[in-house]
Amino acid sequence: MNKIKVVAFDADDTLWINEPFFREAEQQFCILLEDYLTHQSISQILFKTQVDNLPLYGYGIKGFTLSMIESAEIISKGTLNPKIIDKVVKIGKELLTKPVELLDDVEIILQELQAKYRLVVATKGDLKDQHRKLHKSGLGPYFHHIEVMTDKEKIDYEKLLKRLDVQPDEFIMIGNSLRSDVLPVLELGGYAVHVPFHTTWLHEHIEHPVIHENFTSIKKLSEIKGIL
């Protein structure tokens, strides 16, 4: 890895807590509709609706909120009380005001790496919300570049590397999702480090282990110093 020039970090559940807030919102949604179905069935319908809507809405809270509204209509078969819709919208708005809670040692690690590498945020989601979280986190000054992607496929990383003017073997990506933060970067010829988070959205799961010479898995973010 002696060629590495750029160290990129995923944001949600890599730099700060995110997914637990969504799971809490999903639980509130299930409670609102529990007169119709079991919580498990409600969650399954919501998940399918979210995935089906990704090509239209992309990732983020706004798409999640629209998918909750659509799921509520499906679950109630069009008989939903409008007051329930108001409560669903309120759940979405509350997500947009959640505090930004940094994960352990994040700022210390960024301070140490900043002296040697160009640091980048490479995340996906709603542009306005991700910039809000970055601003509230206080981490902005550590980063050379902020990239909020509509998705994280190989082509998205290719565009990012072109903007940064680096080759794949000069780039390393660190994140909690094997699907989004690891596999596309390895396919491109870059390096990838997986930092598991205790809660990960089902859509980000993969069914097979990752075996690749450019791949490393660590238990906590502070271990990245030993790799670089």
Side-chain angles (χ1 to χ4, degrees):
M1 294 189 184
N2 57 358
K3 290 185 178 182
I4 297 294
K5 294 179 180 178
V6 172
V7 180
F9 292 84
D10 175 50
D12 294 334
D13 300 318
T14 299
L15 299 178
W16 52 66
I17 294 172
N18 179 67
E19 187 61 22
F21 295 140
F22 276 85
R23 299 287 67 81
E24 179 184 325
E26 182 178 322
Q27 180 63 24
Q28 293 172 356
F29 178 71
C30 289
I31 291 172
L32 281 178
L33 297 168
E34 61 186 3
D35 288 343
Y36 294 94
L37 292 171
T38 64
H39 285 205
Q40 181 179 6
S41 296
I42 294 168
S43 291
Q44 289 173 344
I45 291 171
L46 176 58
F47 175 72
K48 182 180 184 305
T49 304
Q50 282 182 269
V51 173
D52 289 346
N53 284 335
L54 284 176
L56 292 173
Y57 303 149
Y59 297 84
I61 294 171
K62 294 173 186 175
F64 176 70
T65 303
L66 289 171
S67 291
M68 283 196 292
I69 293 171
E70 183 178 344
S71 297
E73 292 291 348
I74 293 170
I75 291 165
S76 69
K77 298 181 180 179
T79 64
L80 198 65
N81 187 321
K83 291 182 179 179
I84 298 295
I85 299 296
D86 291 341
K87 292 179 179 179
V88 171
V89 172
K90 184 179 179 182
I91 291 172
K93 286 184 175 180
E94 287 176 350
L95 272 176
L96 288 166
T97 60
K98 289 293 185 182
V100 177
E101 300 179 18
L102 297 181
L103 293 172
D104 292 344
D105 301 325
V106 164
E107 192 158 10
I108 294 173
I109 293 161
L110 295 179
Q111 287 174 350
E112 294 183 5
L113 295 181
Q114 187 187 36
K116 187 175 180 181
Y117 305 97
R118 278 189 287 163
L119 304 186
V120 167
V121 172
T123 190
K124 61 186 179 184
D126 179 81
L127 179 64
K128 188 174 181 64
D129 184 47
Q130 293 292 36
H131 278 281
R132 173 191 69 85
K133 288 188 282 191
L134 186 65
H135 174 71
K136 285 193 170 184
S137 74
L139 300 179
Y142 293 107
F143 294 103
H144 168 82
H145 179 79
I146 311 297
E147 188 85 6
V148 181
M149 306 169 172
T150 55
D151 207 343
K152 281 184 169 179
E153 301 290 344
K154 179 183 176 183
I155 189 171
D156 301 296
Y157 284 103
E158 286 175 339
K159 292 176 181 177
L160 173 60
L161 265 61
K162 186 175 181 180
R163 277 191 280 275
L164 296 172
D165 192 26
V166 292
Q167 298 301 312
D169 63 355
E170 298 172 328
F171 177 85
I172 187 167
M173 179 70 196
I174 303 167
N176 69 297
S177 170
L178 290 170
R179 178 187 293 274
S180 296
D181 302 318
V182 171
L183 295 182
V185 175
L186 295 179
E187 186 181 357
L188 193 62
Y191 292 89
V193 178
H194 182 227
V195 191
F197 189 67
H198 60 78
T199 307
T200 303
W201 188 31
L202 182 60
H203 182 65
E204 297 295 334
H205 292 186
I206 63 172
E207 296 181 357
H208 55 84
V210 178
I211 302 174
H212 194 285
E213 62 183 359
N214 289 4
F215 171 70
T216 306
S217 182
I218 57 180
K219 294 182 179 179
K220 54 186 179 179
L221 193 59
S222 59
E223 294 177 22
I224 191 65
K225 293 179 293 183
I227 295 172
L228 292 171

